[in-house]
């Protein structure tokens, strides 16, 4: 999905607000996930694989557990506001796509103590991907919405990536 910059801003916000009329509150968040796939302090670990994973061009059947830092900005030294925790599974035989089950657990900032539950298919070779917000706790109780994500940066040598999430959420 190709998403022009304006789509991720004013047009997207207007579209989202039309969907969520009524008693619900709406908000948008921009967060950054610090994804450490390698090194001494890696935050993504393989926990299972199928008998075809090693021969699959998409690593089909690989299951990884994630505990990534969430920051307010793209730099690792930006304000720490939580953790992205959950499972990601390589779930497509033909395309590099992940089945994702993540919880964004906020431990700082205005959403401290709240969570958002993120699910969906993430075709990681696409510039922009959309995932569903299917629930939450604390301030985000009964949350629903979606997140548009992209790879902000990735260093092949250190296996360190920064993922940008623009989240549109309605909650009670």
């Amino acid at each position: 999905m190709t998403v022009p910059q304006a789509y991720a801003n004013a047009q997207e916000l207007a579209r989202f607000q039309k969907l969520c009329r009524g008693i619900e509150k709406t908000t948008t968040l921009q967060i950054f996930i610090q994804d450490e796939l390698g090194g001494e302090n890696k935050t993504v670990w393989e926990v299972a694989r199928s008998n075809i994973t090693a021969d699959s061009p998409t690593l089909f059947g690989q299951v990884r557990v994630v505990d990534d830092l969430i920051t307010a900005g793209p730099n690792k030294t930006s304000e720490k506001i939580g953790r992205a925790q959950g499972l990601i599974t390589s779930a497509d035989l033909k395309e590099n796509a992940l089945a994702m089950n993540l919880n964004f657990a906020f431990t700082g900032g205005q959403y401290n103590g709240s969570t958002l539950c993120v699910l969906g298919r993430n075709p990681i070779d696409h510039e922009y991907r959309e995932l569903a917000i299917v629930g939450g706790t604390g301030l985000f109780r009964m949350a629903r919405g979606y997140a548009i994500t992209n790879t902000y940066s990735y260093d092949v040598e250190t296996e360190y990536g920064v993922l940008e999430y623009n989240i549109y959420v309605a909650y009670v």
Side-chain angles (χ1 to χ4, degrees):
M1 162 168 60
T2 302
V3 179
Q5 188 60 32
Y7 178 79
N9 295 325
Q11 286 179 307
E12 191 64 22
L13 178 58
R15 177 177 172 241
F16 183 69
Q17 287 175 334
K18 286 179 186 175
L19 291 173
C20 300
R21 300 284 183 212
I23 62 167
E24 295 171 307
K25 298 176 186 174
T26 62
T27 193
T28 60
L29 296 82
Q30 181 183 50
I31 61 172
F32 295 85
I33 307 292
Q34 308 293 323
D35 201 33
E36 297 188 54
L37 298 167
E40 292 180 18
N41 298 314
K42 63 193 266 184
T43 57
V44 179
W45 290 87
E46 182 178 304
V47 294
R49 59 179 32 223
S50 73
N51 59 358
I52 67 164
T53 300
D55 297 322
S56 170
T58 64
L59 298 175
F60 181 81
Q62 181 187 55
V63 179
R64 291 175 279 174
V65 65
V66 176
D67 185 13
D68 287 342
L69 176 65
I70 300 174
T71 57
N75 297 322
K76 189 175 184 178
T77 57
S78 298
E79 178 188 3
K80 295 170 179 54
I81 59 173
R83 306 295 297 186
Q85 300 169 326
L87 295 171
I88 56 175
T89 305
S90 297
D92 192 312
L93 287 165
K94 297 181 181 178
E95 181 180 12
N96 286 319
L98 304 173
M100 300 186 67
N101 173 3
L102 294 175
N103 291 294
F104 293 167
F106 295 97
T107 58
Q110 71 186 82
Y111 305 114
N112 185 23
S114 299
T115 65
L116 284 172
C117 302
V118 181
L119 293 175
R121 182 178 187 275
N122 187 348
I124 59 177
D125 291 335
H126 295 195
E127 183 178 6
Y128 293 97
R129 291 90 66 185
E130 185 173 322
L131 299 167
I133 305 296
V134 297
T137 63
L139 180 66
F140 295 123
R141 186 171 292 140
M142 295 181 64
R144 64 187 179 100
Y146 54 94
I148 296 175
T149 184
N150 65 287
T151 304
Y152 183 86
S153 65
Y154 185 74
D155 184 324
V156 176
E157 287 185 27
T158 62
E159 295 182 279
Y160 189 89
V162 178
L163 307 170
E164 178 181 13
Y165 279 77
N166 290 288
I167 300 170
Y168 301 85
V169 64
Y171 56 95
V172 177

